[in-house]
Amino acid sequence: MATIFSKIAAGEIPSYRVGESDRYYAFLDINPLAKGHTLVIPKQEVDYLYDLDDETLSGMIIFAKQIAQKIKAFSGCNKVATVVLGLEVPHAHIHLIPINSEKDVDFSREKLVLTPEEFEEIASKLRG
C-alpha cells in the first residue's frame, strides 16, 4: 500500500511542490515550524532513510542541498536545518527548516498556520 508521501509525489494528493526530479520530490510541510519548511522524499518508497541504497541516498542529499539553498535565499535565515525523524510517515524523508537558532527546530512548539494562498506563494518563490 502506497504511503501518503508516495501519493503526494504521484500527484494523487495535492501538495505545495517546491522541486522535483525523476527520483526525488520536495514539498512544503503543511504543519511548518517556519515559512519554507520543506520535506524532501525519494520517489522510491522505503521506510527508513538509511535503508536507501547508497546511490539513492547520496542523490537525495544533493537534491536536498539544492532545495536548502533556495530556502536560505528565500528566508534570509542563518542556516537551513536538516532533520531526520522518520516516525510519523513510513517513507524516508528529510525536513529542511530555515533557522536562526537551534530553538527553531523544536517540534513540540506550536506550528505556523498558513492559508493556501500563503503556502502557494512560498512554494512559487522556492520553485523560482
Side-chain angles (χ1 to χ4, degrees):
M1 185 151 108
T3 69
I4 189 168
F5 287 172
S6 292
K7 291 177 181 181
I8 287 170
E12 297 171 21
I13 295 175
S15 69
Y16 299 100
R17 183 180 57 81
V18 170
E20 183 174 13
S21 74
D22 60 330
R23 299 179 71 190
Y24 310 101
Y25 191 78
F27 57 101
L28 294 178
D29 190 312
I30 59 169
N31 295 302
L33 292 175
K35 288 184 178 183
H37 181 169
T38 299
L39 297 174
V40 175
I41 64 167
K43 290 183 177 178
Q44 175 188 4
E45 194 171 292
V46 172
D47 179 18
Y48 181 50
L49 186 74
Y50 297 118
D51 284 340
L52 292 168
D53 63 82
D54 290 350
E55 181 183 341
T56 302
L57 178 60
S58 61
M60 186 174 168
I61 296 300
I62 292 167
F63 180 79
K65 177 183 178 181
Q66 296 165 355
I67 301 299
Q69 290 168 336
K70 292 178 181 183
I71 293 170
K72 190 171 189 312
F74 160 77
S75 69
C77 64
N78 265 344
K79 292 187 177 184
V80 175
T82 303
V83 179
V84 176
L85 297 172
L87 296 176
E88 61 276 12
V89 176
H91 191 128
H93 59 285
I94 298 170
H95 292 261
L96 299 176
I97 306 163
I99 63 168
N100 293 307
S101 153
E102 289 182 6
K103 294 176 186 173
D104 295 339
V105 187
D106 179 358
F107 279 82
S108 67
R109 69 173 221 242
E110 190 172 333
K111 308 302 186 283
L112 294 181
V113 177
L114 303 173
T115 66
E117 294 78 19
E118 289 173 306
F119 275 115
E120 190 50 54
E121 179 182 352
I122 294 166
S124 177
K125 287 180 179 177
L126 291 174
R127 282 191 303 270

